[in-house]
Amino acid sequence: MKQFQIEPIFGSENWEIAGFSIAFTNSALWMAVTVILLVAFVYGGMRRELVPGRWQMAVETMTGFIDNMLEANIGKEGRKYVPYIFSLFMFILFGNLLGLLPIGLVGLHPFTFTSHFTITGVLALMSFSIVLIVGFWKHGIGFFGLFVPHGTPVLMTPLLFVIELFSFLIRPISLALRLFVAMMAGHVLLKILATFVIDSLNAGPLLGATVGPAALILMIAISALEILVAGIQAYVFALLSSLYINDAENLH
């Protein structure tokens, strides 16, 4: 499980402020790398050329994709959330893909920060906070009407209110858990298959010629699947965030 360990780097293990550790970790490093790549990606597509190049087309395609998703789920009012949902989607997507890079520099291997519940939890809380802010800003105390389905009998109102409230409060946990589990499970499987390849080669020619190649082929296939999962999980996170915002906008 070493690939999931958060460790201080660049000799920062002793950095402290008021007794609190502010060590710069491998997780922080790869989040910073992701932000830099995201900014560079967007900046490269803002040239507004008469004949769009591939870079500009890529940025416009992604922003158009997010815009269409928000318009379908929220309506025309959803366009004001494009910057947030686009940044959320691309941040998760880049983070997922960077963690799959098969490289290692001076002992520093790629780190998938989305495989930690603390990171996905903060991202989920950001979306949940927007839902609360928008809901109370637009509807005031009427936002609590979200927890009482239309046409509910009076006698059933207290029970359904509690159930709907619990379901609402569990949303950020389920949102964060889905991404965290998917990324961790995929990386653990890849590590197990890689161990099979190495151990079979060390176990003798018979296992090296049978189990090793089979495990390697399966590992390559799972790696390709992980690339697909990286995109799907980023999309699901962005989609569910937009659906939750839709509840706050329209009280569905």
Side-chain angles (χ1 to χ4, degrees), residues 60-95:
E60 291 180 355
T61 298
M62 298 307 299
T63 54
F65 169 72
I66 298 298
D67 181 58
N68 292 335
M69 181 179 69
L70 288 171
E71 185 174 350
N73 293 324
I74 302 177
K76 296 295 183 181
E77 295 182 353
R79 289 189 170 180
K80 59 177 174 286
Y81 300 106
V82 169
Y84 169 70
I85 297 297
F86 172 80
S87 300
L88 183 68
F89 171 76
M90 296 302 296
F91 180 75
I92 295 174
L93 178 62
F94 279 14

Side-chain angles (χ1 to χ4, degrees), residues 86-110:
F86 172 80
S87 300
L88 183 68
F89 171 76
M90 296 302 296
F91 180 75
I92 295 174
L93 178 62
F94 279 14
N96 291 347
L97 294 177
L98 285 174
L100 293 173
L101 293 177
I103 59 176
L105 301 174
V106 196
L108 184 65
H109 59 82

Side-chain angles (χ1 to χ4, degrees), residues 128 131-132 143 146-149 158-175 178 240 244 247 252:
F128 190 67
V131 172
L132 293 177
F143 181 63
L146 177 67
F147 311 126
V148 182
L159 177 61
L160 286 180
F161 179 86
V162 173
I163 295 175
E164 291 292 331
L165 178 62
F166 179 78
S167 175
F168 178 77
L169 294 177
I170 208 72
R171 283 180 177 182
I173 299 176
S174 62
L175 185 62
R178 182 181 292 105
L240 292 179
Y244 296 158
D247 288 342
H252 286 168

Side-chain angles (χ1 to χ4, degrees), residues 213-227:
L216 180 60
I217 293 173
L218 184 57
M219 183 179 174
I220 295 174
I222 296 297
S223 297
L225 180 61
E226 274 292 283
I227 296 176

